[in-house]
Amino acid sequence: MSPTGRHQAGITLPQSAQPNLLAVVAELGDAVAVGPLLAELGQTIHALTAGTDPRLLGLPPGDLTVTIGVGPRLVRMADPSLPGAADLPRFSREQIAPQARGGDLLVQICASDPLLLPVVATALLQQAGHRVQERWRQSGRRGPNIPVDKGISAPRNLLGFIDGIVGPHTTAEHQRHLWLAGPAPVGGGTIAVVRRMELDLPRFTALSVADQEAVFGRRRATGVPLSGGTAAWDPNLGAKTPDGRYLVPADAHVRRANPNVVGVGLMLRRSYSTDAPAPGLLFISFQNDLRTFTNTLAHMDDSDALLRFTTTTASATFLILPGFDQQHPLGAKMFH
Ligand code: HEM
């Protein structure tokens, strides 16, 4: 898959996210020249995705994508007024070891062939050498996409629900909610949030299907909101039963996370399920304003029924750099 263009691959392309992911988060040494490092990583990504890098060991790259983000510390070094300069605040239900919070560099590797992931991570880390030190890594998997309605499709997560229905899906929505329009050094980039959330599967599976559906506010089998319609319909948050109870409960995830209720734009959720170190979700969202994420989670905290089944064990935000090509090396507009 071509790594070059106005945007990096691995966000909206390929349109159905690949089934396997490995995210590696690293920190940079103090005296490291960031520009040359990113340019080298871009070159290596070029060779890896073209299948010409000998470190691929002959594996065909297929639909391999590598997406690079830089953490708030590096953004602040370039220009503290740029989007991406703010750290992610703390939220409830976090049990995050110091090395699993934040980080300077995100390497998100996605592919259909799971063998590629550790091989590509090794090649990129070897290229960076002593300039980077790994902090944490997480692999994840996605099941097949299920078409729901209006061209939208999304996979199920470990709780059995279709995850990724609401989001910026059209090119116009991508421009409005996903890609940074500017300033020039970051135009075409986006802001990523990556959080590893362990799920209490035994407690969730002990619920009746109706109680599971009340947690989300959607039907488990189809993704249809409890207020009716099709999966692509917005939940009708005002709809009530004849005896006056909300069809979409007050603490349902789709009510607490609803962008109109929160008053924010759309986030592109592209999460992967995990089985180690614990069953859960590697929540990944892309949006052009960090507040889309922080205001949503602040609105969910303490009142979202879903959060009672989660413990967050890793958390970071990154500026996903704009796309690159042979004339414009990765990161060149930000780090000279
Ligand atoms: C383990 C944790 C989580 C799971 C299993 C999960 C799962 C889901 C599911 C199944 C849906 C409904 C279908 C859809 O629109 O995709 C949904 C909707 C949504 N989730 Fe999550 N989610 C989790 C955490 C989060 C977090 C941390 C955020 C952001 C702070 C978030 C933001 C959203 C948003 C914005 C929607 C769309 C709501 C709407 O307008 O209907 N989710 N999530």
Side-chain angles (χ1 to χ4, degrees), residues 119-321:
V119 169
V120 167
T122 302
L124 289 161
L125 289 170
Q126 190 187 36
Q127 185 69 42
H130 295 305
R131 291 174 289 181
V132 310
Q133 207 182 358
E134 184 171 331
R135 280 167 79 96
W136 59 281
R137 66 168 64 195
Q138 181 63 49
S139 57
R141 287 197 278 257
R142 282 164 72 103
N145 265 24
I146 297 155
V148 290
D149 195 15
K150 295 192 178 153
I152 300 170
S153 66
R156 291 187 189 277
N157 59 37
L158 272 191
L159 301 180
F161 283 74
I162 303 173
D163 189 345
I165 299 172
V166 174
H169 296 302
T170 65
T171 310
E173 287 170 342
H174 290 161
Q175 297 307 336
R176 179 145 178 235
H177 301 284
L178 174 61
W179 305 120
L180 288 160
V186 302
T190 183
I191 307 286
V193 171
V194 182
R195 280 166 72 84
R196 183 174 61 208
M197 302 176 78
E198 292 184 3
L199 288 167
D200 190 342
L201 278 185
R203 211 152 59 78
F204 191 81
T205 48
L207 300 178
S208 68
V209 176
D211 285 347
Q212 294 176 0
E213 292 176 335
V215 167
F216 283 98
R218 288 183 183 265
R219 297 279 173 220
R220 194 177 68 182
T222 58
V224 169
L226 295 183
S227 50
T230 74
W233 284 26
D234 287 333
N236 179 348
L237 300 180
K240 290 186 172 167
T241 59
D243 58 347
R245 281 177 299 116
Y246 281 124
L247 290 176
V248 177
D251 61 355
H253 181 49
V254 300
R255 180 189 292 276
R256 302 307 302 179
N258 184 286
N260 299 325
V261 173
V262 180
V264 293
L266 299 172
M267 59 179 85
L268 179 68
R269 288 170 293 120
R270 195 178 181 279
S271 305
Y272 281 75
S273 293
T274 67
D275 60 0
L281 189 76
L282 186 67
F283 174 93
I284 303 177
S285 71
F286 300 102
Q287 51 271 304
N288 60 16
D289 188 341
L290 184 62
R291 284 171 299 185
T292 300
F293 176 84
T294 52
N295 289 4
T296 303
L297 190 49
H299 195 254
M300 288 162 55
D301 250 10
D302 296 326
S303 55
D304 187 311
L306 174 62
L307 285 185
R308 290 173 215 138
F309 299 89
T310 68
T311 307
T312 300
T313 59
S315 177
T317 179
F318 301 93
L319 169 73
I320 301 295
L321 295 164

Side-chain angles (χ1 to χ4, degrees), residues 63-76:
D63 58 4
L64 168 70
T65 58
V66 182
T67 316
I68 301 287
V70 290
R73 190 179 73 94
L74 297 191
V75 177
R76 289 194 293 267

